[in-house]
Amino acid sequence: MNSFDPASFNVQQFDELVKTFYEGSDNSMRQRAQVMLTDFQNSADSWQTVDQILERSTNMQAKFIALGVLEDFIKLKWNLLPMEQRLVIRNYIVRYLIDFITLSSDESTSTSRTAFINKLDIVLVQIMKKDWPQYWPTCIQEIVNSSSIHTSLCENNMKILRFLSEEVFDYSIDFMTVAKKTKLKTQMLNEYGSVFDLCKYVLSPSNHNSTPISLIQVTFETLLKILSWIPSQFLYQQGLDLIDLLNFNIKSNLPAQRNLSIQCLVEIINNLDSMANDDNSNSQYDEMILSIYKMFYTEITNILPKETIDDIIQTYEDLGQETQELIKISVILFTTILSKHRKSIENINPSSIQDILSNYLLKASCIRDKEIWGVCLEYWGQLANDVLQEHQINKYTPSSIYYYKILEQLGPIMIDNMVKPDEVLMIEDTDGEITREFIKQSDTTSLSKTMQHVFKLLTRINPVSVHSLINEQLSQLLKSSSWSWDLLFHICWAVGASLGATDNYSENQFLETILVNGLLPLLRQQEGMPNFNNQDQEWVIASCILYVTGQCPYFLTSHLEFTNLIMQKIFAYMQQQTQPGIREMACDAFLKIAEGFKEELSKSQQLSTATVSSILESALSDLHNLTASLDPQQLCTVYEAICTLITASSHTVQMKQTYFELLMKTPNEILNDKSEGWTNSILSMKVIINMIRVNIATCKRIGFSLFRNQIRSVAHMLFQYYKISSQEINSTSNNSHTQRLYITIRKLILHLFQIFVISADDKLQTLLQKEDDGILIFELLQIVFTDYRQTSVEPEKTEADVLSLLTSLVEILKEDSTFILSLYKDIIDIEYSATLPMITSNFVDYPEIRHEFYKLLHALNQRYFTELLQSSPELFQLNVDSILWGTKHTTKDISEMALRTCLDIINYASQMDDEDLSSFFFETYYVKILTGILEILIDPDCRNAFDFQTQILSRMLELVQEGEIYARVFDHNQVSDPLMSNVYFLQHYVLNLLCSAFPLLQKEQIDVLVRGMFEYSGDLQRFQDDIRDFLIDIKEVDEAHEGEKRAQEELNAELDLLRNL
């Protein structure tokens, strides 16, 4: 098959081609078939062969491909066809679909047949979206009427109506214009009655025995979709008839039918609750919701009798899917009603609420199902909040006592359902093994936060009850012969969740019972834990203690002996030889406690027996032993913790400096030894890397003032390492292990100095004015610049962090800084001469360099826009070209940085005091920038930054529309009327540009858009809506008179709006 000419198209050859692609064993033949099929799908005429393929093909996959081609054609080029041809295609699809369904309805249903019918339905829905209601006004009624022909046809019509509803109400935002969406939604709302009547007819009790189950199910699915948007007033008018209909189906013996009926009830309630706040109508809707409640409460007690609930809950995992779904949707219905109508139900049937809460929701909360628990938890939180508010204002109702009891019963269930907070170090895995978790579990993070919130509410309502519950569970656990680590974890997580709900005195007493009298003795035990050795026991219990204490540093303040004991345990765990997990836990715990308890740990402690030195002094005096067994990351964590204590201590600055020098003594000695006896062994380089990382960690924590002397003491050693690394990187083979280590050394040195610069912040200006410090940074940068220029010819060896360091300097230092001005030429050279050529051959190479280039570009234009504009025309032209090149990237962060920079320079130029310089910018670059932004806006590959693109366009047109640009933005020598205004010129310029880009669109249609762009340039939302509509519109090709008609309609709408204004 070498041609797609419809007249000579051979269906048999096409079938063979499809069969080769899907079933062929020869890869080369399959690849060739793929190329030919792709050509077929992309051919402008391939849609004309669809009827031949559908009629003659014996390959279902070939028919799928044909329908896909037709679907794409309808989406993009349907309006190009004459109305007569559109009618022929529409009738053909309808007839083919009806024949395929009715003539083959007795065949056994297969997956491929069902999928093929669905594809036909989707094609028909695409046609409906184009022609209905204007050119096919009877579309919906025809579907409804034809449903009486055959049950299979009725079933498929239900699917079509559901697909159409989804297309109009759910998926239209990015695929339809605002006018089109409004038109179709209005039409759907006008015709909902006939569709709703069809659904009622199919589901009516009189047709129950004769209606196939599959038709009932698909009708419910369609009704469920319709109920989400059908007018609430219509639902109210249907009233009891609709409830009775759903009630009948709930009573049926068909589980799927029953569950869908309940889902419809939920949708009705949500629809009615979403109505506007009209008192009269709300009371009417409340009556209907209460009727639903009464009906369903009666039915659920028959379907799930209270006596059987306990057994059902215990065997939930063994139940069938329909029964599980029944429980789930019933919970959703009850919580949906009670969340907004509990007070109303209390007035008519308070005992039913008590029954639901205790026998259904409370017991459903025990089910090990995240979705059910999440729904229940949300409602428990709302109920607890309502009860708490009533408690705070001393407003009690007859039901208040019962709610107290229910929430009290909820406490043990919540402890049992507790999920791991992000702070916890140790958990028990599914095999019963204790493991450490390193990664936050995003799926449980939200649930954990909600549980903590609800449990805190329970504690605020009745702190004595919650504290007693936790104490009792821990006491029972300690006395039990069969241990459960999982229960211990849950108890400790509950303790953490309860904290902050009451006063410190009560919580101190509570924590003393839990920690000092409960967990601490357990920690001291040496035996009695089945399946765990003593070290595992300490590890787990210590993890629980550390989690709880981490939530309440005030407890450590008032229990110094306990704190001292815990810290000694932490130091002992840090020296553990065989268990890296224990060391990891200890290091993290040290840092966490240091952050929350820093002032107390940095001073001496008066215990009952003696005065002991501070934890800070203990750590420094025994630093070698504490850190001997730690891996590099753990070492950094410990150094961070000690730095935290140093900065928080009440000692003098001189004493703090002494402590810090003592802390850094070993790392400095190691760096010095390695610099004097340099070897390029892998072990030596790894040691250097670790020591630089220690410096980075301490610099982040200790701050600029204390780290200043440290950076002076190690700077020249680091300069030496940087030079050696640069030489070795250039001389060693790419991607070798040795080269990667040298790259890491170079990167870490740059990172260290960047952290130092950032920590200095506003003090950096003063620092660099001092001779020694200024020379130090200047010397580093000269080394860095030399290396960067040398490696720029091989970008894979160039370090992106150089640009990151320069960005920090530019952002922090003032524009008139002597230091930065002395480096200005070097920075410009690095940015535009050395770096820019690396990233202009394509949009993907060297992503890190590319990212840092645009960060620095933004910083330079933010700080030195005027200087750049006053520099050579070639440099500023390069600057603008770089920005526009960035806007063309499909990588979102790059394009957004470039667009943000572009918007900034336009605003800077419009706000300049120097009007001549501002005029020069707009005269020279306005049209260039406008053209570049318009080009990417209409490029489908660059739609990932639509908001920024339209902000720039809106701002640029607004400046012209409001007369804020005084200079001509065009060359008066190249226009027919040199006296024309900027607005006149730009309207025609944008119009011609868009007409050239879209030759198949009518000029009048584009003219309406352009005029609207200028008129609404000050209204960003309206501006963006119009542009978005246009971009959706240009995906379709209109025939001439339709384009003119639409343009006229849009023009009339614009004129009407202007008249109103």
Side-chain angles (χ1 to χ4, degrees):
M1 190 185 72
N2 298 318
S3 174
F4 300 132
D5 181 6
S8 60
F9 181 77
N10 189 305
V11 176
Q12 184 177 358
Q13 290 182 9
F14 185 73
D15 280 359
E16 293 174 356
L17 185 67
V18 173
K19 185 176 181 181
T20 300
F21 174 69
Y22 283 103
E23 303 176 16
S25 56
D26 188 327
N27 285 335
S28 61
M29 293 292 290
R30 292 183 65 185
Q31 290 175 0
R32 182 171 178 270
Q34 182 181 12
V35 171
M36 296 181 70
L37 286 175
T38 302
D39 290 344
F40 170 77
Q41 291 171 311
N42 294 334
S43 170
D45 298 322
S46 59
W47 65 275
Q48 299 180 48
T49 67
V50 171
D51 59 335
Q52 300 178 49
I53 297 172
L54 292 178
E55 296 291 343
R56 304 174 194 168
S57 175
T58 59
N59 189 312
M60 188 63 77
Q61 291 163 327
K63 293 182 179 182
F64 266 103
I65 293 174
L67 287 176
V69 167
L70 182 58
E71 182 186 1
D72 290 340
F73 177 81
I74 294 169
K75 286 180 178 178
L76 302 178
K77 300 182 181 180
W78 183 251
N79 292 333
L80 182 65
L81 298 178
M83 185 54 63
E84 296 78 9
Q85 193 170 4
R86 288 158 62 172
L87 187 60
V88 169
I89 296 173
R90 179 216 300 171
N91 291 338
Y92 174 81
I93 292 297
V94 171
R95 190 193 76 248
Y96 185 91
L97 181 59
I98 293 174
D99 290 346
F100 188 85
I101 292 171
T102 57
L103 297 179
S104 61
S105 60
D106 294 333
E107 298 179 3
S108 59
T109 302
S110 65
T111 303
S112 60
R113 179 179 180 276
T114 303
F116 182 66
I117 293 176
N118 286 342
K119 190 67 173 178
L120 282 167
D121 292 342
I122 291 171
V123 170
L124 181 58
V125 168
Q126 295 303 326
I127 295 175
M128 293 169 66
K129 286 166 57 182
K130 299 293 183 182
D131 287 355
W132 175 68
Q134 187 170 4
Y135 304 114
W136 194 2
T138 60
C139 168
I140 299 295
Q141 197 58 49
E142 288 178 24
I143 292 176
V144 172
N145 294 341
S146 66
S147 298
S148 61
I149 298 175
H150 197 288
T151 55
S152 296
L153 186 59
C154 181
E155 182 176 330
N156 192 67
N157 285 347
M158 288 295 179
K159 291 182 181 178
I160 292 173
L161 292 170
R162 189 177 83 244
F163 290 157
L164 180 62
S165 174
E166 291 172 345
E167 287 285 332
V168 173
F169 287 94
D170 298 338
Y171 310 137
S172 60
I173 185 168
D174 293 323
F175 302 101
M176 291 187 198
T177 65
V178 172
K180 183 71 171 177
K181 284 184 289 187
T182 303
K183 191 173 186 179
L184 290 184
K185 287 181 179 180
T186 301
Q187 192 64 29
M188 286 288 285
L189 290 170
N190 290 337
E191 301 198 39
Y192 66 82
S194 58
V195 178
F196 191 80
D197 288 341
L198 175 62
C199 293
K200 284 178 60 180
Y201 174 78
V202 173
L203 300 175
S204 65
S206 60
N207 297 322
H208 179 71
N209 294 329
S210 60
T211 306
I213 295 175
S214 59
L215 174 55
I216 292 176
Q217 184 161 340
V218 75
T219 302
F220 265 118
E221 291 171 353
T222 302
L223 178 62
L224 186 62
K225 184 59 63 175
I226 293 172
L227 288 172
S228 65
W229 53 262
I230 200 168
S232 299
Q233 187 62 35
F234 179 80
L235 281 178
Y236 177 73
Q237 292 170 358
Q238 294 293 315
L240 295 178
D241 290 341
L242 179 59
I243 296 176
D244 290 342
L245 176 64
L246 295 174
N247 187 18
F248 170 79
N249 284 277
I250 290 174
K251 291 179 178 180
S252 71
N253 294 322
L254 300 174
Q257 184 174 328
R258 176 192 61 205
N259 293 345
L260 284 167
S261 298
I262 301 173
Q263 289 184 48
C264 287
L265 290 175
V266 174
E267 201 61 58
I268 290 171
I269 295 167
N270 288 330
N271 186 315
L272 296 176
D273 280 337
S274 66
M275 277 299 293
N277 294 322
D278 177 61
D279 291 338
N280 294 328
S281 63
N282 272 347
S283 61
Q284 295 173 346
Y285 298 149
D286 282 346
E287 292 176 7
M288 186 173 179
I289 292 174
L290 292 178
S291 298
I292 293 174
Y293 172 81
K294 293 176 186 177
M295 178 272 292
F296 186 69
Y297 173 67
T298 302
E299 295 305 325
I300 199 66
T301 54
N302 294 327
I303 300 171
L304 298 175
K306 291 181 285 187
E307 299 78 17
T308 64
I309 289 293
D310 289 331
D311 293 336
I312 292 175
I313 298 303
Q314 292 175 5
T315 60
Y316 178 82
E317 293 184 359
D318 300 325
L319 298 175
Q321 182 178 354
E322 289 84 2
T323 306
Q324 291 183 348
E325 185 65 24
L326 169 64
I327 296 172
K328 189 177 300 182
I329 193 65
S330 298
V331 167
I332 292 173
L333 189 143
F334 277 135
T335 55
T336 301
I337 294 179
L338 292 177
S339 62
K340 292 187 178 180
H341 303 277
R342 177 172 57 85
K343 294 292 185 182
S344 300
I345 299 172
E346 282 180 2
N347 295 329
I348 59 172
N349 191 359
S351 61
S352 67
I353 297 182
Q354 299 174 10
D355 187 25
I356 291 170
L357 293 179
S358 61
N359 290 312
Y360 290 96
L361 294 187
L362 203 61
K363 293 180 179 179
S365 299
C366 299
I367 297 174
R368 296 294 185 181
D369 183 284
K370 279 187 178 180
E371 187 175 351
I372 292 178
W373 173 235
V375 173
C376 291
L377 185 64
E378 183 178 355
Y379 178 70
W380 293 130
Q382 181 178 343
L383 179 63
N385 189 63
D386 291 344
V387 171
L388 180 63
Q389 289 183 354
E390 293 175 358
H391 174 73
Q392 289 174 337
I393 62 175
N394 294 321
K395 181 182 178 182
Y396 298 98
T397 65
S399 301
S400 296
I401 296 176
Y402 185 78
Y403 296 146
Y404 271 88
K405 293 180 179 179
I406 284 291
L407 294 176
E408 192 172 319
Q409 295 175 53
L410 178 63
I413 297 174
M414 290 204 64
I415 293 177
D416 191 46
N417 279 330
M418 281 285 173
V419 294
K420 183 192 75 67
D422 288 333
E423 302 93 337
V424 171
L425 305 176
M426 253 51 66
I427 65 165
E428 183 177 11
D429 64 19
T430 54
D431 298 323
E433 297 294 327
I434 301 302
T435 60
R436 186 180 193 283
E437 283 231 338
F438 294 89
I439 301 173
K440 290 185 178 181
Q441 299 183 7
S442 58
D443 60 329
T444 62
T445 297
S446 177
L447 181 60
S448 172
K449 290 180 179 179
T450 304
M451 290 189 69
Q452 290 181 43
H453 171 69
V454 175
F455 201 75
K456 202 178 297 293
L457 288 174
L458 298 184
T459 310
R460 291 180 63 189
I461 292 171
N462 195 342
V464 174
S465 173
V466 172
H467 290 171
S468 298
L469 170 66
I470 296 174
N471 283 327
E472 182 181 350
Q473 290 209 0
L474 181 60
S475 177
Q476 291 177 355
L477 181 65
L478 295 176
K479 296 175 183 178
S480 174
S481 58
S482 58
W483 257 83
S484 169
W485 289 121
D486 190 57
L487 180 55
L488 178 61
F489 290 139
H490 283 219
I491 291 172
C492 291
W493 298 341
V495 172
S498 70
L499 298 179
T502 184
D503 60 277
N504 284 358
Y505 177 77
S506 300
E507 284 191 351
N508 264 313
Q509 287 186 317
F510 168 60
L511 289 170
E512 188 170 331
T513 304
I514 296 294
L515 294 172
V516 180
N517 301 331
L519 293 179
L520 189 57
L522 188 61
L523 183 64
R524 289 168 168 161
Q525 292 177 10
Q526 299 299 312
E527 298 178 354
M529 298 297 153
N531 302 321
F532 288 91
N533 60 35
N534 292 340
Q535 289 181 338
D536 287 330
Q537 173 187 331
E538 289 191 27
W539 184 16
V540 173
I541 301 171
S543 169
C544 292
I545 292 174
L546 294 174
Y547 167 70
V548 174
T549 54
Q551 312 305 307
C552 52
Y554 55 84
F555 178 79
L556 298 177
T557 305
S558 57
H559 295 76
L560 297 179
E561 294 193 13
F562 174 81
T563 304
N564 189 63
L565 176 61
I566 292 301
M567 291 307 305
Q568 297 309 315
K569 285 291 184 182
I570 288 175
F571 288 166
Y573 295 152
M574 286 165 56
Q575 301 174 62
Q576 219 279 343
Q577 297 291 323
T578 59
Q579 292 282 357
I582 293 179
R583 296 197 299 271
E584 188 83 23
M585 178 204 72
C587 294
D588 285 352
F590 184 24
L591 177 58
K592 188 172 183 62
I593 292 177
E595 290 172 333
F597 194 49
K598 44 184 175 282
E599 291 84 1
E600 287 74 11
L601 294 185
S602 62
K603 58 187 178 183
S604 301
Q605 305 295 334
Q606 180 65 49
L607 305 182
S608 59
T609 56
T611 300
V612 297
S613 58
S614 67
I615 297 299
L616 169 60
E617 292 172 343
S618 299
L620 287 173
S621 63
D622 199 26
L623 188 61
H624 175 74
N625 292 329
L626 290 178
T627 59
S629 302
L630 301 181
D631 66 27
Q633 184 56 51
Q634 295 165 357
L635 185 67
C636 290
T637 303
V638 171
Y639 270 72
E640 283 189 62
I642 296 176
C643 285
T644 301
L645 299 182
I646 293 174
T647 55
S649 69
S650 57
H651 297 292
T652 62
V653 174
Q654 184 177 0
M655 193 63 194
K656 290 181 180 180
Q657 190 69 54
T658 302
Y659 281 147
F660 185 59
E661 290 173 1
L662 182 60
L663 176 66
M664 300 304 295
K665 180 180 179 182
T666 300
N668 290 353
E669 289 175 351
I670 294 174
L671 285 174
N672 187 55
D673 291 344
K674 295 298 179 183
S675 66
E676 292 178 355
W678 173 267
T679 64
N680 60 356
S681 69
I682 291 177
L683 180 60
S684 295
M685 286 189 285
K686 287 184 176 180
V687 170
I688 293 170
I689 288 171
N690 293 337
M691 294 304 101
I692 299 175
R693 282 179 173 151
V694 166
N695 274 271
I696 292 172
T698 56
C699 183
K700 289 178 180 178
R701 291 281 176 169
I702 203 69
F704 161 74
S705 299
L706 293 178
F707 198 79
R708 181 178 170 188
N709 288 337
Q710 170 65 13
I711 201 73
R712 287 175 176 173
S713 63
V714 298
H716 291 289
M717 290 182 278
L718 297 178
F719 295 165
Q720 180 184 348
Y721 292 142
Y722 196 98
K723 292 177 181 178
I724 295 173
S725 298
S726 299
Q727 294 169 3
E728 295 294 335
I729 289 169
N730 292 325
S731 62
T732 55
S733 59
N734 284 343
N735 211 32
S736 66
H737 184 52
T738 303
Q739 189 194 63
R740 290 197 299 272
L741 290 175
Y742 281 122
I743 290 174
T744 301
I745 292 174
R746 187 176 65 177
K747 180 185 287 288
L748 289 174
I749 292 172
L750 288 169
H751 188 48
L752 172 60
F753 277 95
Q754 184 177 10
I755 293 294
F756 177 67
V757 165
I758 293 173
S759 68
D761 198 15
D762 56 349
K763 299 175 184 176
L764 185 62
Q765 189 87 13
T766 305
L767 171 73
L768 295 177
Q769 292 175 356
K770 298 181 179 180
E771 185 175 354
D772 292 344
D773 295 311
I775 292 174
L776 191 71
I777 302 297
F778 188 83
E779 184 179 351
L780 166 71
L781 291 175
Q782 294 308 311
I783 296 171
V784 168
F785 290 157
T786 301
D787 170 61
Y788 194 91
R789 291 187 179 100
Q790 290 175 350
T791 57
S792 63
V793 295
E794 296 182 83
E796 61 275 1
K797 296 181 178 181
T798 304
E799 184 51 64
D801 282 1
V802 171
L803 302 178
S804 181
L805 174 60
L806 294 179
T807 301
S808 297
L809 285 169
V810 171
E811 289 176 342
I812 293 174
L813 294 175
K814 296 180 180 178
E815 294 84 344
D816 58 353
S817 166
T818 305
F819 182 83
I820 199 69
L821 291 176
S822 67
L823 296 171
Y824 178 77
K825 291 184 179 179
D826 283 320
I827 295 174
I828 294 298
D829 180 64
I830 290 294
E831 175 77 346
Y832 296 101
S833 300
T835 308
L836 184 58
M838 302 182 199
I839 62 171
T840 51
S841 59
N842 56 52
F843 295 116
V844 294
D845 287 348
Y846 317 114
E848 291 183 4
I849 295 175
R850 193 177 300 268
H851 183 269
E852 296 302 332
F853 172 86
Y854 280 100
K855 282 181 62 178
L856 179 55
L857 185 71
H858 181 263
L860 285 171
N861 280 277
Q862 188 178 45
R863 287 289 192 177
Y864 301 104
F865 173 73
T866 303
E867 289 78 359
L868 286 169
L869 186 57
Q870 290 175 328
S871 62
S872 66
E874 295 79 12
L875 175 60
F876 196 78
Q877 180 69 54
L878 202 59
N879 183 58
V880 173
D881 289 343
S882 300
I883 295 172
L884 294 178
W885 175 250
T887 65
K888 297 178 181 179
H889 282 65
T890 55
T891 307
K892 188 174 182 179
D893 61 336
I894 300 293
S895 61
E896 287 191 351
M897 273 194 288
L899 288 164
R900 190 180 295 111
T901 306
C902 185
L903 181 60
D904 285 347
I905 66 172
I906 291 169
N907 287 327
Y908 296 153
S910 67
Q911 297 164 7
M912 294 180 75
D913 294 332
D914 189 336
E915 291 185 4
D916 292 338
L917 198 56
S918 173
S919 297
F920 168 74
F921 172 82
F922 289 116
E923 286 174 358
T924 311
Y925 301 106
Y926 183 97
V927 173
K928 181 182 182 69
I929 294 173
L930 182 70
T931 305
I933 300 301
L934 282 170
E935 287 175 349
I936 61 171
L937 181 66
I938 61 180
D939 183 349
D941 293 332
C942 297
R943 299 278 169 81
N944 58 354
F946 175 81
D947 285 346
F948 279 107
Q949 294 165 359
T950 48
Q951 282 182 52
I952 293 171
L953 273 182
S954 173
R955 179 58 178 154
M956 293 185 75
L957 298 184
E958 182 185 24
L959 288 172
V960 171
Q961 184 77 2
E962 299 299 324
E964 295 183 34
I965 298 177
Y966 304 110
R968 291 191 181 94
V969 298
F970 57 90
D971 186 349
H972 65 278
N973 294 318
Q974 297 181 5
V975 295
S976 59
D977 181 9
L979 299 179
M980 71 172 65
S981 67
N982 283 334
V983 173
Y984 183 85
F985 168 78
L986 289 171
Q987 284 182 343
H988 285 77
Y989 179 82
V990 174
L991 176 65
N992 293 333
L993 189 150
L994 293 178
C995 287
S996 299
F998 306 108
L1000 296 178
L1001 292 178
Q1002 300 303 307
K1003 184 175 182 179
E1004 291 81 2
Q1005 179 184 357
I1006 298 177
D1007 185 55
V1008 171
L1009 169 74
V1010 173
R1011 291 179 183 276
M1013 288 169 62
F1014 280 82
E1015 182 68 30
Y1016 296 105
S1017 57
D1019 182 349
L1020 181 60
Q1021 186 60 56
R1022 174 63 188 269
F1023 186 88
Q1024 290 179 331
D1025 286 344
D1026 287 350
I1027 296 291
R1028 186 180 287 107
D1029 282 357
F1030 176 75
L1031 295 176
I1032 293 172
D1033 224 12
I1034 61 177
K1035 296 178 182 177
E1036 307 172 6
V1037 182
D1038 288 311
E1039 52 185 317
H1041 71 275
E1042 286 303 320
E1044 293 171 358
K1045 185 176 180 180
R1046 181 185 299 171
Q1048 186 61 47
E1049 289 175 351
E1050 293 181 354
L1051 179 60
N1052 291 338
E1054 298 283 351
L1055 292 174
D1056 288 343
L1057 182 59
L1058 290 174
R1059 291 191 196 100
N1060 292 334
L1061 291 174

